[in-house]
Amino acid sequence: MSRIRINSFVSKVFISVFTALFLFSLNSFARKVRFSISSVVPAARGYVKIGRDNNQNYIIKIEISNMAEAGRLQPPKLTYIVWMVSDDASTMNMGQIKSSVTLLTNRLKASFETTTPYKPTQIFITAEDDPGYQLPGAQIVLTTKRF
């Protein structure tokens, strides 16, 4: 009789753990959105991953390859800035992109990661002379469609 109770208890624990893991995996699922092809930097390719953390904030991760240095653009700029359009249609400066040349190739790679409480509906990148601008400039380098 006690063996049946133990098996029943173990199966309930197993189902509870499995359900919790399933719900956690749904919560940590990241949506991947590709950038449209750029007329400013045509070789640049990349994507944005948007997920949620345990506090229900949005995690935004960006990976880009073949991103030309901002100083080589016409006209030359100082840096690239990531902008987010939130669900209330406000546009926010999320910060500068970090770029590097990989060790085995000369492909310029860029990455960015941030967390925000606001729900993103579009991400775009501009080339700017000052990283502290609060409104985006006219030179949009990469953009996603609205999601």
Side-chain angles (χ1 to χ4, degrees), residues 5-38:
R5 286 185 189 163
I6 291 174
N7 287 341
S8 175
F9 175 75
V10 170
S11 66
K12 287 180 182 179
V13 169
F14 178 76
I15 290 171
S16 299
V17 168
F18 179 78
T19 304
L21 288 173
F22 177 74
L23 291 175
F24 177 75
S25 68
L26 284 178
N27 205 17
S28 63
F29 179 77
R31 181 176 184 180
K32 188 174 181 178
V33 181
R34 294 212 172 272
F35 284 109
S36 300
I37 295 175
S38 171

Side-chain angles (χ1 to χ4, degrees), residues 61-136:
K61 295 181 182 181
I62 298 174
E63 294 291 331
I64 303 169
S65 61
N66 299 322
M67 188 73 150
E69 296 171 16
R72 294 187 175 206
L73 298 176
Q74 289 301 322
K77 297 292 182 176
L78 179 65
T79 189
Y80 291 111
I81 302 295
V82 176
W83 301 88
M84 178 187 82
V85 179
S86 67
D87 60 346
D88 68 355
S90 62
T91 302
M92 294 174 248
N93 179 335
M94 302 306 289
Q96 281 182 266
I97 288 184
K98 296 177 189 172
S99 60
S100 65
V101 177
T102 60
L103 182 63
L104 300 176
T105 69
N106 60 356
R107 294 173 65 189
L108 192 61
K109 295 201 173 248
S111 63
F112 179 83
E113 184 173 345
T114 192
T115 303
T116 180
Y118 304 103
K119 181 179 180 181
T121 60
Q122 184 179 22
I123 304 290
F124 63 98
I125 298 170
T126 61
E128 304 288 353
D129 290 320
D130 182 357
Y133 286 156
Q134 295 304 308
L135 294 173

